Every structure is written in C-alpha cells, then in structure tokens.
Amino acid sequence: MADDLFYMLSIDALGAGDLRAFATQSGDPRIGLSINAEIKSNSVLKSVCGYGETFSEALHDLWRQLTEYEYVTEYVVMKAGTAQRRAVRWNGQGFKPHHEDDRTSEPSNG
C-alpha cells in the first residue's frame, strides 16, 4: 500500500493532469488509469494507460510504463501538442527533465 501512495504522489508531481480511472469496455471487470502523458519512441508517441483487476494493479501497470522503457532512447512526454509540453525520463530515483531536439525544424539537405 505504501507503493501505491508513492506512485500516486510521483505521478501527480509530473503535472500531467488528473489521474483518470475508467472501466474497460470488454466483458471482463478491469480498471484503466490514464494521465495526459505518452512515451516518445523515435518520432512516435505511444499512449500510456495502466490496466488491472484492481485500482492498485492498474496503478502499478501505469507506473511500470512510465518508468521502464523498452529502448534507452524512450522518455515520457506530458501534455504533447500544447504549450505546456514537457519531457522527462525516470533515472531510477526520480523523473528528470529530458531535452527534446527542436521538433519543428526540417533536416537540411546539404
């Protein structure tokens, strides 16, 4: 239960908006949790939603996605598409700001 409180406070500190809980639309009684955050992988943003049979399981799944990355180049983007966009990366002890290259510039052709 102490982990749940730590996860909730850490997720709240990201400033990614409210934690939203929802019931899945499939036949099984599962809970989904989401925030306004995505995982940036190369040039693709992947949704982050935690799922579980209980709130705690869904929270742990959301936390895992925010802190365990498939590739070393991945990081978390909050509020993508807004002026409040922020990028962070979990370093094992906390979320640290992550510098994003200018996303609006076109690569030069020589």
Side-chain angles (χ1 to χ4, degrees):
M1 200 62 163
D3 284 346
D4 288 359
L5 181 59
F6 173 78
Y7 295 160
M8 288 179 64
L9 291 173
S10 298
I11 290 169
D12 184 56
L14 286 173
D18 293 336
L19 184 65
R20 294 177 301 277
F22 55 92
T24 60
Q25 293 184 356
S26 61
D28 60 350
R30 294 177 58 84
I31 296 169
L33 292 176
S34 67
I35 56 174
N36 191 353
E38 298 161 297
I39 301 296
K40 176 90 181 253
S41 180
N42 295 317
S43 61
V44 176
L45 291 172
K46 300 186 294 187
S47 296
V48 177
C49 289
Y51 294 98
E53 291 184 19
T54 66
F55 178 87
S56 184
E57 285 179 9
L59 182 62
H60 284 245
D61 186 41
L62 178 63
W63 180 257
R64 179 192 55 75
Q65 292 176 57
L66 293 170
T67 59
E68 298 176 13
Y69 311 112
E70 189 174 347
Y71 303 103
V72 296
T73 56
E74 291 180 330
Y75 55 93
V76 179
V77 174
M78 280 88 55
K79 299 183 180 180
T82 72
Q84 295 82 29
R85 180 183 177 115
R86 252 181 3 110
V88 296
R89 185 168 170 74
W90 178 256
N91 69 2
Q93 297 180 350
F95 288 100
K96 299 297 179 191
H98 180 81
H99 171 74
E100 291 189 284
D101 293 329
D102 185 3
R103 299 177 330 273
T104 61
S105 65
E106 293 290 324
S108 63
N109 291 330

XYZ file of all heavy atoms in Angstrom:
862
model
N 0.811 -1.186 0.000
C 0.000 0.000 0.000
C 0.862 1.261 0.000
O 0.477 2.272 -0.563
C -0.930 -0.043 1.226
C -2.103 0.847 1.087
S -3.090 0.324 -0.315
C -4.576 1.137 0.024
N 2.044 1.185 0.625
C 2.946 2.342 0.631
C 3.414 2.645 -0.788
O 3.594 3.813 -1.145
C 4.128 2.084 1.547
N 3.610 1.592 -1.606
C 3.997 1.802 -3.000
C 2.921 2.597 -3.732
O 3.244 3.488 -4.517
C 4.205 0.467 -3.727
C 5.511 -0.200 -3.367
O 6.383 0.454 -2.767
O 5.657 -1.388 -3.689
N 1.652 2.283 -3.480
C 0.554 2.984 -4.153
C 0.626 4.484 -3.877
O 0.492 5.300 -4.789
C -0.801 2.452 -3.709
C -1.102 1.065 -4.256
O -0.263 0.508 -4.998
O -2.176 0.538 -3.935
N 0.856 4.855 -2.635
C 0.938 6.269 -2.277
C 2.133 6.931 -2.962
O 2.017 8.020 -3.524
C 1.028 6.434 -0.762
C 1.094 7.874 -0.255
C -0.127 8.669 -0.704
C 1.223 7.899 1.264
N 3.280 6.257 -2.960
C 4.469 6.787 -3.635
C 4.195 6.983 -5.121
O 4.512 8.028 -5.685
C 5.662 5.847 -3.433
C 6.859 6.241 -4.238
C 7.676 7.290 -3.833
C 7.167 5.573 -5.416
C 8.780 7.669 -4.585
C 8.270 5.938 -6.169
C 9.077 6.996 -5.747
N 3.601 5.981 -5.763
C 3.307 6.077 -7.192
C 2.340 7.221 -7.483
O 2.549 8.001 -8.412
C 2.719 4.775 -7.726
C 3.653 3.585 -7.684
C 3.165 2.304 -7.744
C 5.034 3.742 -7.573
C 4.004 1.204 -7.716
C 5.883 2.650 -7.530
C 5.358 1.380 -7.603
O 6.194 0.303 -7.574
N 1.301 7.339 -6.676
C 0.312 8.390 -6.906
C 0.924 9.779 -6.723
O 0.693 10.678 -7.531
C -0.892 8.201 -5.989
C -1.750 7.022 -6.408
S -3.170 6.756 -5.341
C -4.092 8.242 -5.624
N 1.729 9.969 -5.684
C 2.361 11.270 -5.460
C 3.369 11.596 -6.555
O 3.456 12.737 -7.015
C 3.031 11.300 -4.077
C 2.077 11.286 -2.883
C 2.863 11.134 -1.573
C 1.216 12.529 -2.857
N 4.126 10.603 -6.990
C 5.114 10.816 -8.052
C 4.440 11.144 -9.378
O 4.890 12.028 -10.108
C 5.998 9.580 -8.220
O 6.719 9.342 -7.040
N 3.369 10.440 -9.689
C 2.623 10.709 -10.928
C 1.994 12.095 -10.859
O 2.045 12.853 -11.827
C 1.576 9.604 -11.183
C 2.290 8.293 -11.561
C 0.592 10.019 -12.270
C 1.390 7.069 -11.571
N 1.445 12.457 -9.712
C 0.856 13.787 -9.553
C 1.915 14.877 -9.732
O 1.663 15.911 -10.340
C 0.185 13.909 -8.187
C -0.516 15.229 -8.006
O -1.383 15.560 -8.848
O -0.198 15.951 -7.040
N 3.122 14.641 -9.234
C 4.206 15.623 -9.333
C 4.649 15.852 -10.779
O 5.253 16.884 -11.076
C 5.392 15.182 -8.486
N 4.344 14.930 -11.670
C 4.685 15.121 -13.079
C 3.932 16.309 -13.680
O 4.363 16.890 -14.669
C 4.360 13.868 -13.899
C 5.283 12.678 -13.732
C 4.717 11.475 -14.481
C 6.675 13.012 -14.216
N 2.796 16.640 -13.114
C 1.994 17.738 -13.646
C 1.344 17.394 -14.971
O 1.147 18.245 -15.822
N 1.002 16.129 -15.146
C 0.410 15.665 -16.407
C -1.105 15.674 -16.363
O -1.752 15.072 -17.203
C 0.918 14.264 -16.732
N -1.678 16.338 -15.397
C -3.132 16.369 -15.297
C -3.627 15.318 -14.327
O -2.861 14.567 -13.739
N -4.930 15.294 -14.175
C -5.552 14.380 -13.222
C -5.430 12.931 -13.664
O -5.474 12.622 -14.854
C -7.033 14.715 -13.061
C -7.245 16.058 -12.391
O -6.340 16.506 -11.661
O -8.307 16.659 -12.608
N -5.303 12.065 -12.689
C -5.339 10.630 -12.919
C -6.790 10.263 -13.203
O -7.675 10.541 -12.399
C -4.832 9.900 -11.677
C -4.700 8.399 -11.726
C -3.623 7.994 -12.743
C -4.318 7.877 -10.356
N -7.039 9.702 -14.370
C -8.400 9.347 -14.772
C -8.577 7.831 -14.693
O -7.783 7.087 -15.262
C -8.667 9.830 -16.191
C -8.660 11.347 -16.308
C -8.844 11.830 -17.728
N -7.843 11.377 -18.677
C -6.647 11.942 -18.858
N -6.293 12.967 -18.140
N -5.808 11.468 -19.750
N -9.628 7.416 -14.002
C -9.956 5.997 -13.907
C -11.169 5.727 -14.779
O -12.068 6.559 -14.892
C -10.252 5.614 -12.464
N -11.166 4.567 -15.424
C -12.301 4.207 -16.272
C -12.453 2.695 -16.286
O -11.507 1.963 -16.020
C -12.113 4.739 -17.701
C -10.830 4.309 -18.358
C -10.776 3.159 -19.134
C -9.673 5.068 -18.200
C -9.590 2.761 -19.732
C -8.477 4.674 -18.801
C -8.434 3.515 -19.572
N -13.659 2.249 -16.558
C -13.926 0.823 -16.701
C -13.674 0.452 -18.156
O -14.060 1.194 -19.063
C -15.361 0.504 -16.315
N -13.021 -0.663 -18.357
C -12.780 -1.096 -19.735
C -14.092 -1.549 -20.350
O -15.027 -1.939 -19.654
C -11.748 -2.230 -19.793
O -12.248 -3.337 -19.035
C -10.404 -1.790 -19.234
N -14.172 -1.497 -21.667
C -15.413 -1.844 -22.348
C -15.498 -3.324 -22.714
O -16.478 -3.756 -23.278
C -15.566 -0.989 -23.599
C -15.765 0.467 -23.261
C -16.022 1.302 -24.487
O -15.984 0.815 -25.608
N -16.279 2.570 -24.291
N -14.480 -4.061 -22.377
C -14.546 -5.503 -22.650
C -15.417 -6.170 -21.591
O -15.854 -5.532 -20.633
C -13.135 -6.099 -22.653
O -12.543 -5.911 -21.384
N -15.658 -7.427 -21.742
C -16.520 -8.154 -20.835
C -15.932 -8.372 -19.453
O -16.658 -8.632 -18.506
N -14.604 -8.265 -19.318
C -14.003 -8.513 -18.011
C -14.016 -7.235 -17.160
O -13.970 -6.128 -17.673
C -12.575 -9.054 -18.149
C -11.647 -8.113 -18.882
O -12.129 -7.122 -19.455
O -10.439 -8.375 -18.884
N -14.122 -7.383 -15.850
C -14.216 -6.213 -14.966
C -12.834 -5.624 -14.662
O -12.284 -5.801 -13.585
C -14.865 -6.789 -13.710
C -14.401 -8.208 -13.678
C -14.277 -8.625 -15.118
N -12.262 -4.931 -15.625
C -10.931 -4.356 -15.441
C -11.033 -2.842 -15.308
O -11.959 -2.223 -15.803
C -10.014 -4.739 -16.599
C -9.749 -6.252 -16.612
C -8.915 -6.700 -17.776
N -7.616 -6.086 -17.898
C -6.511 -6.492 -17.264
N -6.569 -7.495 -16.431
N -5.363 -5.893 -17.477
N -10.034 -2.284 -14.637
C -9.949 -0.850 -14.423
C -8.809 -0.305 -15.271
O -7.753 -0.923 -15.386
C -9.670 -0.543 -12.939
C -10.838 -1.021 -12.090
C -9.379 0.940 -12.717
C -10.554 -1.000 -10.617
N -9.022 0.854 -15.856
C -7.971 1.541 -16.588
C -7.641 2.852 -15.907
O -8.510 3.498 -15.325
N -6.367 3.241 -15.944
C -5.917 4.519 -15.397
C -5.086 5.224 -16.443
O -4.225 4.607 -17.082
C -5.051 4.315 -14.148
C -5.720 3.772 -12.901
C -4.672 3.560 -11.803
C -6.787 4.735 -12.408
N -5.322 6.526 -16.615
C -4.526 7.269 -17.580
C -4.275 8.686 -17.082
O -4.984 9.189 -16.214
C -5.218 7.302 -18.942
O -6.400 8.057 -18.862
N -3.238 9.301 -17.623
C -2.918 10.705 -17.404
C -2.583 11.292 -18.769
O -2.527 10.559 -19.764
C -1.725 10.888 -16.432
C -0.485 10.137 -16.933
C -2.098 10.474 -15.035
C 0.766 10.371 -16.119
N -2.354 12.578 -18.831
C -2.027 13.225 -20.094
C -0.522 13.087 -20.344
O 0.227 14.053 -20.255
C -2.452 14.697 -20.069
C -2.386 15.335 -21.431
O -1.902 14.736 -22.389
N -2.847 16.553 -21.529
N -0.098 11.846 -20.595
C 1.316 11.552 -20.849
C 1.410 10.432 -21.875
O 0.513 9.603 -21.992
C 2.021 11.141 -19.564
N 2.513 10.451 -22.602
C 2.784 9.424 -23.603
C 4.265 9.095 -23.565
O 5.058 9.869 -23.038
C 2.391 9.933 -24.995
C 0.904 10.237 -25.089
C 0.559 11.138 -26.247
O 1.027 12.290 -26.253
O -0.180 10.695 -27.123
N 4.624 7.957 -24.137
C 6.023 7.570 -24.254
C 6.487 7.928 -25.660
O 5.861 7.525 -26.643
C 6.224 6.055 -24.011
C 5.719 5.655 -22.621
C 7.681 5.674 -24.214
C 6.466 6.272 -21.468
N 7.561 8.682 -25.752
C 8.133 9.056 -27.056
C 9.155 7.998 -27.436
O 10.095 7.723 -26.706
C 8.792 10.437 -26.962
C 9.488 10.881 -28.225
C 8.547 11.632 -29.133
C 9.206 12.071 -30.406
N 9.489 13.464 -30.511
N 8.934 7.385 -28.575
C 9.833 6.370 -29.105
C 10.144 6.746 -30.544
O 9.271 6.671 -31.408
C 9.175 4.988 -29.038
O 10.026 3.996 -29.550
N 11.365 7.184 -30.788
C 11.751 7.767 -32.076
C 10.835 8.946 -32.354
O 10.797 9.872 -31.581
C 11.749 6.724 -33.188
C 12.799 5.653 -32.955
O 13.916 5.960 -32.569
N 12.439 4.412 -33.175
N 10.059 8.917 -33.412
C 9.176 10.046 -33.704
C 7.721 9.720 -33.381
O 6.820 10.460 -33.760
C 9.307 10.436 -35.179
O 8.924 9.349 -35.993
N 7.477 8.643 -32.647
C 6.118 8.193 -32.355
C 5.807 8.371 -30.872
O 6.624 8.055 -30.014
C 5.957 6.701 -32.736
C 4.586 6.184 -32.366
C 6.234 6.497 -34.211
N 4.611 8.877 -30.588
C 4.123 8.952 -29.216
C 3.176 7.783 -28.964
O 2.229 7.574 -29.717
C 3.375 10.266 -28.983
C 4.229 11.521 -28.981
C 3.351 12.761 -28.942
C 5.182 11.519 -27.811
N 3.451 7.000 -27.924
C 2.624 5.847 -27.561
C 1.822 6.176 -26.310
O 2.365 6.691 -25.342
C 3.502 4.626 -27.283
C 4.362 4.181 -28.440
C 5.098 2.899 -28.147
C 6.118 3.066 -27.043
N 6.966 1.880 -26.830
N 0.546 5.851 -26.334
C -0.323 6.088 -25.185
C 0.153 5.328 -23.958
O 0.735 4.254 -24.070
C -1.752 5.647 -25.494
O -2.289 6.418 -26.523
N -0.148 5.894 -22.811
C 0.176 5.268 -21.531
C -1.124 5.088 -20.766
O -1.772 6.067 -20.407
C 1.149 6.138 -20.713
C 1.422 5.514 -19.362
C 2.436 6.369 -21.459
N -1.518 3.848 -20.536
C -2.701 3.517 -19.737
C -2.372 2.284 -18.917
O -1.871 1.299 -19.457
C -3.917 3.215 -20.610
S -4.612 4.640 -21.424
N -2.654 2.348 -17.638
C -2.448 1.185 -16.782
C -3.743 0.406 -16.662
O -4.828 0.994 -16.591
N -3.638 -0.911 -16.643
C -4.821 -1.770 -16.537
C -4.623 -2.798 -15.437
O -3.508 -3.271 -15.206
C -5.084 -2.508 -17.861
C -5.458 -1.578 -18.985
C -4.506 -1.161 -19.908
C -6.756 -1.100 -19.113
C -4.850 -0.298 -20.937
C -7.107 -0.239 -20.137
C -6.143 0.158 -21.044
O -6.491 1.024 -22.055
N -5.710 -3.168 -14.781
C -5.654 -4.196 -13.762
C -7.040 -4.544 -13.274
O -8.024 -3.862 -13.585
N -7.109 -5.619 -12.505
C -8.389 -6.026 -11.926
C -8.756 -5.150 -10.738
O -9.924 -5.067 -10.372
C -8.343 -7.494 -11.530
C -8.272 -8.415 -12.735
C -8.327 -9.886 -12.353
O -8.770 -10.202 -11.228
O -7.937 -10.704 -13.184
N -7.746 -4.493 -10.140
C -7.979 -3.579 -9.023
C -7.313 -2.244 -9.347
O -6.472 -2.159 -10.249
C -7.387 -4.116 -7.714
O -5.959 -4.153 -7.851
C -7.923 -5.496 -7.369
N -7.675 -1.219 -8.577
C -7.042 0.077 -8.746
C -5.531 -0.048 -8.559
O -4.749 0.511 -9.322
C -7.620 1.081 -7.744
C -6.984 2.434 -7.827
C -7.459 3.386 -8.716
C -5.904 2.760 -7.014
C -6.862 4.640 -8.807
C -5.305 4.003 -7.091
C -5.791 4.943 -7.988
N -5.121 -0.786 -7.546
C -3.695 -0.952 -7.257
C -2.957 -1.604 -8.424
O -1.868 -1.163 -8.798
C -3.514 -1.782 -5.980
O -2.149 -1.875 -5.647
N -3.526 -2.637 -9.016
C -2.891 -3.296 -10.163
C -2.780 -2.341 -11.347
O -1.760 -2.307 -12.030
C -3.684 -4.538 -10.580
C -3.514 -5.714 -9.673
C -4.331 -6.919 -10.122
O -4.900 -6.907 -11.242
O -4.413 -7.882 -9.340
N -3.823 -1.567 -11.593
C -3.797 -0.599 -12.693
C -2.747 0.479 -12.431
O -2.021 0.881 -13.341
C -5.173 0.021 -12.889
N -2.635 0.927 -11.192
C -1.637 1.932 -10.827
C -0.229 1.393 -11.028
O 0.637 2.081 -11.572
C -1.856 2.376 -9.379
C -0.920 3.458 -8.874
C -1.094 4.747 -9.675
C -1.167 3.707 -7.381
N 0.014 0.169 -10.618
C 1.339 -0.438 -10.795
C 1.675 -0.601 -12.275
O 2.828 -0.395 -12.677
C 1.412 -1.780 -10.058
C 1.548 -1.621 -8.581
N 2.661 -2.017 -7.890
C 0.707 -1.088 -7.663
C 2.508 -1.737 -6.600
N 1.320 -1.182 -6.454
N 0.687 -0.942 -13.088
C 0.917 -1.075 -14.527
C 1.232 0.282 -15.149
O 2.148 0.409 -15.973
C -0.295 -1.703 -15.208
C -0.051 -2.003 -16.673
O 1.054 -2.474 -17.030
O -0.969 -1.766 -17.482
N 0.520 1.325 -14.742
C 0.801 2.679 -15.234
C 2.209 3.104 -14.830
O 2.977 3.618 -15.646
C -0.240 3.658 -14.682
C -0.063 5.123 -15.060
C -0.187 5.317 -16.575
C -1.088 5.982 -14.325
N 2.576 2.850 -13.583
C 3.913 3.205 -13.089
C 4.998 2.485 -13.885
O 6.005 3.078 -14.270
C 4.030 2.872 -11.605
C 5.376 3.205 -11.046
C 6.395 2.347 -10.767
C 5.864 4.517 -10.731
N 7.472 3.031 -10.289
C 7.170 4.368 -10.259
C 5.310 5.787 -10.804
C 7.948 5.448 -9.848
C 6.081 6.865 -10.409
C 7.383 6.687 -9.934
N 4.782 1.205 -14.134
C 5.765 0.422 -14.899
C 6.002 1.059 -16.267
O 7.135 1.211 -16.706
C 5.278 -1.023 -15.050
C 6.226 -1.920 -15.856
C 5.576 -3.247 -16.226
N 4.315 -3.104 -16.931
C 4.199 -2.750 -18.212
N 5.261 -2.480 -18.935
N 3.013 -2.653 -18.780
N 4.929 1.462 -16.927
C 5.065 2.059 -18.250
C 5.798 3.397 -18.205
O 6.537 3.742 -19.131
C 3.689 2.240 -18.881
C 3.022 0.920 -19.227
C 1.633 1.141 -19.755
O 1.457 1.850 -20.742
N 0.649 0.547 -19.098
N 5.596 4.168 -17.139
C 6.243 5.470 -17.014
C 7.715 5.375 -16.630
O 8.474 6.326 -16.831
C 5.517 6.336 -15.975
C 4.109 6.774 -16.337
C 3.423 7.407 -15.123
C 4.130 7.742 -17.513
N 8.126 4.222 -16.090
C 9.493 4.117 -15.555
C 10.361 3.039 -16.191
O 11.571 3.052 -16.012
C 9.454 3.870 -14.045
O 8.737 2.658 -13.776
C 8.793 5.029 -13.320
N 9.765 2.094 -16.887
C 10.532 1.024 -17.535
C 10.358 1.153 -19.042
O 9.262 0.963 -19.550
C 10.046 -0.351 -17.070
C 10.232 -0.584 -15.591
C 9.644 -1.910 -15.136
O 9.310 -2.766 -15.982
O 9.492 -2.067 -13.914
N 11.456 1.446 -19.723
C 11.383 1.713 -21.154
C 11.937 0.539 -21.946
O 12.877 -0.118 -21.523
C 12.160 2.982 -21.489
C 11.797 4.135 -20.585
C 12.692 4.640 -19.665
C 10.525 4.708 -20.637
C 12.357 5.685 -18.832
C 10.182 5.751 -19.808
C 11.102 6.237 -18.905
O 10.762 7.269 -18.077
N 11.340 0.310 -23.099
C 11.789 -0.763 -23.979
C 13.139 -0.421 -24.607
O 13.980 -1.275 -24.795
C 10.739 -1.005 -25.066
C 11.009 -2.221 -25.899
C 9.870 -2.518 -26.867
O 8.772 -1.942 -26.732
O 10.108 -3.333 -27.765
N 13.344 0.855 -24.933
C 14.580 1.312 -25.571
C 15.198 2.439 -24.748
O 14.472 3.217 -24.119
C 14.298 1.821 -26.994
C 13.646 0.788 -27.872
C 12.286 0.853 -28.155
C 14.372 -0.276 -28.395
C 11.671 -0.101 -28.946
C 13.764 -1.239 -29.186
C 12.417 -1.150 -29.464
O 11.807 -2.102 -30.237
N 16.511 2.559 -24.771
C 17.190 3.590 -23.990
C 16.881 4.998 -24.490
O 17.094 5.967 -23.777
C 18.720 3.371 -23.960
C 19.070 2.072 -23.255
C 19.318 3.413 -25.346
N 16.359 5.121 -25.691
C 16.047 6.434 -26.253
C 14.637 6.914 -25.897
O 14.274 8.031 -26.235
C 16.188 6.406 -27.784
O 15.339 5.362 -28.302
C 17.622 6.136 -28.195
N 13.844 6.083 -25.229
C 12.469 6.459 -24.901
C 12.418 7.374 -23.675
O 13.283 7.311 -22.802
C 11.622 5.216 -24.639
C 11.389 4.398 -25.880
C 10.546 3.170 -25.613
O 10.583 2.615 -24.503
O 9.840 2.758 -26.542
N 11.371 8.202 -23.628
C 11.138 9.085 -22.493
C 9.663 9.455 -22.454
O 8.910 9.156 -23.373
C 12.029 10.330 -22.553
C 11.922 11.132 -23.829
C 11.040 12.205 -23.929
C 12.716 10.824 -24.939
C 10.943 12.950 -25.092
C 12.627 11.566 -26.104
C 11.744 12.626 -26.172
O 11.648 13.360 -27.328
N 9.245 10.105 -21.373
C 7.845 10.460 -21.152
C 7.603 11.894 -21.610
O 8.391 12.794 -21.303
C 7.478 10.325 -19.655
C 6.024 10.719 -19.412
C 7.745 8.914 -19.158
N 6.519 12.103 -22.339
C 6.102 13.446 -22.761
C 4.736 13.716 -22.137
O 3.818 12.924 -22.289
C 6.007 13.555 -24.299
C 5.437 14.903 -24.709
C 7.367 13.323 -24.935
N 4.643 14.827 -21.412
C 3.367 15.244 -20.848
C 2.795 16.380 -21.672
O 3.531 17.244 -22.137
C 3.528 15.738 -19.406
C 3.607 14.641 -18.379
S 5.264 14.071 -18.132
C 6.138 15.523 -17.752
N 1.487 16.370 -21.821
C 0.744 17.431 -22.495
C 1.296 17.718 -23.896
O 1.464 18.871 -24.287
C 0.733 18.684 -21.639
C 0.064 18.456 -20.290
C 0.000 19.709 -19.476
C -0.681 19.410 -18.150
N -0.765 20.598 -17.320
N 1.559 16.666 -24.659
C 2.033 16.812 -26.041
C 0.996 17.602 -26.829
O -0.197 17.476 -26.607
C 2.240 15.442 -26.680
N 1.465 18.427 -27.723
C 0.557 19.207 -28.549
C 0.052 20.473 -27.884
O -0.842 21.131 -28.411
N 0.578 20.804 -26.715
C 0.186 22.036 -26.034
C 1.429 22.863 -25.739
O 2.561 22.373 -25.818
C -0.529 21.744 -24.692
O 0.425 21.270 -23.741
C -1.652 20.735 -24.858
N 1.217 24.098 -25.360
C 2.337 24.982 -24.997
C 2.991 24.531 -23.693
O 4.122 24.914 -23.402
C 1.839 26.419 -24.865
N 2.303 23.690 -22.915
C 2.845 23.198 -21.644
C 3.602 21.882 -21.789
O 3.937 21.241 -20.801
C 1.722 23.016 -20.612
C 1.048 24.297 -20.191
C -0.021 24.729 -21.178
O -0.638 23.908 -21.849
N -0.218 26.026 -21.283
N 3.902 21.466 -23.016
C 4.597 20.200 -23.263
C 5.880 20.145 -22.431
O 6.637 21.104 -22.366
C 4.940 20.088 -24.748
C 5.664 18.791 -25.091
C 6.052 18.776 -26.555
N 6.808 17.604 -26.902
C 6.403 16.662 -27.727
N 5.236 16.770 -28.324
N 7.156 15.619 -27.979
N 6.090 18.983 -21.796
C 7.299 18.731 -21.012
C 7.751 17.306 -21.241
O 6.927 16.410 -21.410
C 6.982 18.890 -19.522
C 7.542 20.101 -18.897
C 7.270 20.265 -17.409
N 6.558 19.236 -16.697
C 7.122 18.427 -15.796
N 8.395 18.487 -15.528
N 6.390 17.530 -15.157
N 9.054 17.111 -21.224
C 9.623 15.776 -21.389
C 10.474 15.448 -20.163
O 11.220 16.288 -19.667
C 10.468 15.710 -22.651
N 10.325 14.210 -19.676
C 11.103 13.738 -18.531
C 11.499 12.287 -18.775
O 10.944 11.606 -19.639
C 10.323 13.839 -17.201
C 10.000 15.274 -16.849
C 9.068 12.991 -17.223
N 12.441 11.834 -17.981
C 12.879 10.438 -18.042
C 13.156 9.983 -16.622
O 13.753 10.693 -15.840
C 14.121 10.316 -18.906
C 14.569 8.890 -19.107
C 15.625 8.785 -20.203
N 16.216 7.470 -20.230
C 15.649 6.381 -20.677
N 14.439 6.437 -21.170
N 16.261 5.223 -20.655
N 12.689 8.778 -16.300
C 12.935 8.181 -14.987
C 14.383 7.709 -14.955
O 14.838 7.007 -15.858
C 11.984 7.015 -14.761
C 12.185 6.312 -13.471
C 12.790 5.104 -13.276
C 11.784 6.759 -12.176
N 12.788 4.776 -11.946
C 12.179 5.783 -11.247
C 11.139 7.900 -11.710
C 11.940 5.906 -9.880
C 10.903 8.019 -10.358
C 11.299 7.035 -9.454
N 15.123 8.077 -13.910
C 16.521 7.676 -13.812
C 16.766 6.650 -12.714
O 17.899 6.396 -12.337
C 17.422 8.895 -13.607
C 17.247 9.532 -12.249
O 16.477 9.064 -11.407
N 17.949 10.625 -12.024
N 15.704 6.083 -12.176
C 15.832 5.093 -11.114
C 15.569 5.684 -9.740
O 15.319 4.952 -8.791
N 15.640 7.009 -9.635
C 15.391 7.677 -8.360
C 14.345 8.772 -8.477
O 13.751 9.170 -7.494
C 16.687 8.261 -7.815
C 17.709 7.207 -7.517
C 18.995 7.814 -6.970
O 19.194 9.014 -6.983
N 19.868 6.953 -6.501
N 14.143 9.286 -9.675
C 13.167 10.348 -9.881
C 13.048 10.683 -11.354
O 13.837 10.211 -12.174
N 12.053 11.484 -11.685
C 11.878 11.944 -13.061
C 12.741 13.184 -13.256
O 12.622 14.150 -12.506
C 10.410 12.278 -13.353
C 9.539 11.066 -13.455
C 8.744 10.681 -12.388
C 9.521 10.302 -14.613
C 7.929 9.561 -12.480
C 8.718 9.180 -14.713
C 7.922 8.810 -13.642
N 13.601 13.156 -14.236
C 14.475 14.277 -14.544
C 14.086 14.862 -15.889
O 13.697 14.123 -16.800
C 15.941 13.824 -14.586
C 16.437 13.250 -13.280
C 16.412 14.296 -12.186
C 16.893 13.694 -10.878
N 16.671 14.544 -9.757
N 14.204 16.193 -16.059
C 13.891 16.801 -17.352
C 14.713 16.176 -18.476
O 15.879 15.822 -18.283
C 14.271 18.274 -17.158
C 14.208 18.482 -15.690
C 14.617 17.181 -15.071
N 14.100 16.014 -19.614
C 14.761 15.437 -20.794
C 14.715 16.470 -21.916
O 13.639 16.978 -22.244
C 14.065 14.149 -21.230
C 14.685 13.509 -22.421
N 15.804 12.725 -22.325
C 14.366 13.564 -23.731
C 16.134 12.306 -23.533
N 15.272 12.809 -24.404
N 15.858 16.794 -22.479
C 15.915 17.767 -23.571
C 15.423 17.116 -24.857
O 15.888 16.046 -25.248
C 17.338 18.277 -23.766
C 17.479 19.114 -25.000
N 16.999 20.402 -25.074
C 18.013 18.840 -26.208
C 17.244 20.879 -26.276
N 17.861 19.953 -26.986
N 14.466 17.768 -25.500
C 13.986 17.321 -26.804
C 14.592 18.211 -27.866
O 14.629 19.439 -27.708
C 12.461 17.423 -26.898
C 11.738 16.432 -26.032
C 10.262 16.441 -26.323
O 9.568 17.380 -25.894
O 9.798 15.502 -27.001
N 15.079 17.611 -28.942
C 15.550 18.395 -30.070
C 14.389 19.199 -30.616
O 13.227 18.828 -30.449
C 16.128 17.497 -31.165
C 17.406 16.808 -30.711
O 18.136 17.393 -29.893
O 17.659 15.685 -31.177
N 14.681 20.285 -31.302
C 13.641 21.121 -31.897
C 12.800 20.268 -32.838
O 13.280 19.775 -33.848
C 14.272 22.289 -32.650
C 13.240 23.253 -33.181
O 12.037 23.070 -32.921
O 13.647 24.201 -33.867
N 11.533 20.095 -32.505
C 10.652 19.226 -33.284
C 10.125 19.908 -34.531
O 9.515 19.289 -35.366
C 9.475 18.779 -32.422
C 9.885 17.989 -31.216
C 8.723 17.600 -30.315
N 7.607 18.505 -30.291
C 7.486 19.565 -29.501
N 8.449 19.871 -28.662
N 6.406 20.316 -29.535
N 10.327 21.225 -34.665
C 9.760 21.949 -35.810
C 10.722 22.130 -36.955
O 10.328 22.496 -38.047
C 9.258 23.340 -35.368
O 10.370 24.081 -34.860
C 8.181 23.215 -34.318
N 12.000 21.887 -36.709
C 12.971 22.137 -37.777
C 13.020 20.969 -38.745
O 12.846 19.822 -38.381
C 14.355 22.385 -37.182
O 14.815 21.217 -36.528
N 13.247 21.293 -39.989
C 13.379 20.280 -41.044
C 14.861 19.944 -41.202
O 15.716 20.818 -41.104
C 12.865 20.840 -42.378
C 11.380 21.107 -42.394
C 10.560 19.836 -42.377
O 10.992 18.850 -42.991
O 9.516 19.825 -41.723
N 15.206 18.701 -41.449
C 16.607 18.367 -41.659
C 17.097 19.033 -42.956
O 16.367 19.121 -43.923
C 16.622 16.845 -41.791
C 15.217 16.391 -41.779
C 14.328 17.561 -41.479
N 18.316 19.501 -42.904
C 18.861 20.161 -44.104
C 19.359 19.114 -45.090
O 19.760 18.034 -44.725
C 20.001 21.099 -43.712
O 21.060 20.347 -43.140
N 19.301 19.471 -46.359
C 19.734 18.565 -47.431
C 21.103 18.967 -47.969
O 21.396 18.776 -49.123
C 18.720 18.549 -48.568
C 17.440 17.882 -48.156
O 17.458 16.992 -47.304
N 16.319 18.301 -48.720
N 21.904 19.525 -47.138
C 23.275 19.814 -47.539
C 23.459 21.201 -47.834
O 24.095 21.953 -48.293
